[in-house]
Amino acid sequence: MLGSRRSRRRLTTALAGLGLFVTGAALQVTTTATPAHAATTHRVLFDDGHAEEAGNADWIISTSKPDPLAQDSSPSSETDWTGALSSWGVALQKTGDYSLKTATSALTYGGSSTTDLSNFDTLVLPEPNTLFTTAEKTAIMTFVQNGGGLFMISDHTGADRNSDGYDAVEILNDLMTNNSVDSTDPFGFSIDSLDISSGYPAAISDSSNAVLNGAFGTVTKSLIADGTTATLKPADNANVKGLVYRSGYSGNTGAFFATSTFGSGRVAFWGDSSPIDDGTGQSGNTLYDGWNDTGATNAALALNATAWLAGDGSTGGGGGGGGGTCTAAQLVGNPGFESGNTTWTASSGVITNSSSEAARTGSYKAWLDGYGSAHTDTLSQSVTIPSGCSATLSFYLHIDTAETTTSTAYDKLTVTAGSTTLATYSNLNAASGYVLKSFDVSSLAGTTATIKFSGVEGSTLQTSFVIDDTALNVS
């Protein structure tokens, strides 16, 4: 063993945790948890200029337009904003990574309006019920072609909520086939004229897809309650990809959720508005809570897709729109702890130069637990991993213990990156010297992830978890 414990603590400098830790869970990037704050604010525009509130529809994030913050500047629950999409909006707002607005007039690109598309990264069209004008279609298509994200949400054929002769199926198909930018099936799919009464369309198996396995959780199923699907045409756009399919369908037919690219931009399609309905909204509307449907993972799908469209995630769609090259780098700040308690957030005394436990290199290391009494120590740092990168987390770990059992894990160290638990070590893993640990965390590319070590010690007999020479290398 490298050392033993007990006189250790507080004989060294009592170092308080000051770093970038996001309070609470290992990484705030799971389904309903709040993701860690990213370096870039993603600007999302929700359309409400095309009868999105007609009939029983209430497809708005807030009644305050264009800025929902005027209704509540710091919403903590979806009822703090009024609208059937308030759960979606509040979930994004709470991350601190998104700036949300609502458009109530004609969509433009390259104009002076505060809701001009040039001011945004993503446009959400939540079941539009009036046709886009020629100028609007040009604006939308140019926006996507130049790198914008487009989220098209349809409903079933015949869902003409304002009785003007057009439903969302016809309106979105018209956008894709009757515009001045590219009318030759630019996204590689068409929306089917169907009314599918019910079902739980299932997600394909693709662990690398950022929409299905993103910062907001894993998508398994969605909900269809009078909706439609799309027919994919990969011969027209090789990047089109079905992610969620109606039961009994696969390949190019029955795609309930699909992604694609156009120019430098990204596109997502969802075949029903029911999954984004959170069941609350303005008085007089009959709404249903599809957002929290226990048989589906609609919130994760909506939020992951929004993040992907805005540029997060290295994969998705057909693999285009937002990937790119990666500059090799080591991303962890103060990786060997030689600068003391900077960059990291740690429990008092964790980052130390105590001679009771030797550092692997230099003088400092992170020493968790070792008290011989019930105790918890944590060590964490948030790191932004660029999109398109392969990423590897590594660190050297030494464990020594006074426990004599060969079968019971009384004291444990849990290592997490993002929402993923990478490993759990215990007193049973004690050994002399440091051992290199290495993990592939490429799935976190395009997110700000918190790397966290949590040591929990039992009531008697010490176990020390000592960490040194950390790294998060991307290439």
Side-chain angles (χ1 to χ4, degrees), residues 11-267:
L11 293 180
T12 59
T13 305
L15 297 167
L18 295 173
L20 300 174
F21 179 52
V22 180
T23 302
L27 170 63
Q28 310 292 346
V29 289
T30 53
T31 37
T32 56
T34 304
H37 183 67
T40 302
T41 298
H42 304 303
R43 305 162 299 172
V44 182
L45 181 67
F46 286 80
D47 181 50
D48 186 33
H50 296 85
E52 279 91 352
E53 297 179 69
N56 276 327
D58 196 47
W59 309 138
I60 56 173
I61 56 174
S62 168
T63 51
S64 176
K65 310 164 195 176
D67 190 355
L69 296 180
Q71 182 173 14
D72 191 316
S73 61
S74 184
S76 59
S77 69
E78 61 92 8
T79 54
D80 291 334
W81 288 355
T82 304
L85 306 189
S86 59
S87 287
W88 188 353
V90 169
L92 293 175
Q93 181 65 37
K94 287 170 64 177
T95 69
D97 300 339
Y98 291 82
S99 173
L100 311 177
K101 296 290 188 294
T102 299
T104 58
S105 56
L107 297 170
T108 60
Y109 182 72
S112 58
S113 169
T114 58
T115 57
D116 185 83
L117 290 173
S118 63
N119 297 320
F120 296 90
D121 303 303
T122 302
L123 170 65
V124 181
L125 301 177
E127 196 193 333
N129 249 253
T130 60
L131 286 168
F132 297 103
T133 66
T134 298
E136 286 182 310
K137 288 185 285 187
T138 299
I140 295 168
M141 297 299 293
T142 304
F143 165 71
V144 180
Q145 188 176 50
N146 290 345
L150 176 63
F151 205 152
M152 299 190 298
I153 300 167
S154 185
D155 201 3
H156 62 89
T157 188
D160 180 6
R161 298 181 184 272
N162 61 342
S163 301
D164 70 345
Y166 296 98
D167 56 41
V169 174
E170 296 166 306
I171 292 163
L172 294 175
N173 277 334
D174 178 72
L175 168 65
M176 295 185 286
T177 61
N178 184 25
N179 66 81
S180 64
V181 179
D182 188 338
S183 293
T184 60
D185 193 24
F187 305 154
F189 66 84
S190 60
I191 303 172
D192 303 324
S193 295
L194 296 173
D195 183 350
I196 306 164
S197 61
S198 63
Y200 285 95
I204 64 170
S205 178
D206 186 348
S207 60
S208 66
N209 188 278
V211 175
L212 298 180
N213 299 275
F216 293 92
T218 299
V219 176
T220 56
K221 289 185 177 181
S222 187
L223 164 72
I224 190 166
D226 288 316
T228 189
T229 56
T231 297
L232 312 186
K233 303 172 185 177
D236 294 339
N237 187 326
N239 286 336
V240 69
K241 184 171 185 177
L243 301 186
V244 179
Y245 281 87
R246 179 185 180 189
S247 179
Y249 290 79
S250 61
N252 294 334
T253 59
F256 184 60
F257 195 102
T259 57
S260 190
T261 66
F262 176 60
S264 301
R266 297 176 171 187
V267 179

Side-chain angles (χ1 to χ4, degrees), residues 212-457:
L212 298 180
N213 299 275
F216 293 92
T218 299
V219 176
T220 56
K221 289 185 177 181
S222 187
L223 164 72
I224 190 166
D226 288 316
T228 189
T229 56
T231 297
L232 312 186
K233 303 172 185 177
D236 294 339
N237 187 326
N239 286 336
V240 69
K241 184 171 185 177
L243 301 186
V244 179
Y245 281 87
R246 179 185 180 189
S247 179
Y249 290 79
S250 61
N252 294 334
T253 59
F256 184 60
F257 195 102
T259 57
S260 190
T261 66
F262 176 60
S264 301
R266 297 176 171 187
V267 179
F269 160 80
W270 209 339
D272 195 358
S273 53
S274 297
I276 58 171
D277 187 343
D278 65 21
T280 69
Q282 300 171 83
S283 176
N285 289 322
T286 304
L287 302 170
Y288 303 92
D289 191 358
W291 184 266
N292 296 302
D293 190 294
T294 57
T297 48
N298 294 317
L301 183 52
L303 297 168
N304 285 345
T306 308
W308 178 77
L309 288 167
D312 278 353
S314 58
T315 60
T325 60
C326 178
T327 302
Q330 195 291 110
L331 303 180
V332 172
N334 189 20
F337 309 104
E338 294 305 310
S339 297
N341 199 40
T342 63
T343 308
W344 295 91
T345 293
S347 300
S348 179
V350 163
I351 299 177
T352 177
N353 62 352
S354 167
S355 60
S356 297
E357 286 278 2
R360 178 178 176 271
T361 60
S363 301
Y364 281 83
K365 66 275 171 184
W367 184 358
L368 290 81
D369 294 330
Y371 287 88
S373 59
H375 187 80
T376 298
D377 277 332
T378 59
L379 171 75
S380 62
Q381 182 179 149
S382 294
V383 181
T384 299
I385 305 173
S387 297
C389 288
S390 296
T392 301
L393 172 68
S394 63
F395 55 92
Y396 284 84
L397 175 65
H398 165 62
I399 303 174
D400 73 50
T401 186
E403 300 283 358
T404 58
T405 179
T406 59
S407 59
T408 304
Y410 290 115
D411 313 309
K412 296 180 180 180
L413 176 75
T414 302
V415 185
T416 55
S419 57
T420 302
T421 297
L422 300 177
T424 300
Y425 305 101
S426 73
N427 48 280
L428 300 177
N429 303 116
S432 60
Y434 282 88
V435 179
L436 176 64
K437 307 295 182 181
S438 183
F439 304 91
D440 184 354
V441 292
S442 300
S443 62
L444 296 175
T447 70
T448 296
T450 296
I451 309 303
K452 185 179 180 182
F453 303 85
S454 299
V456 179
E457 194 173 24

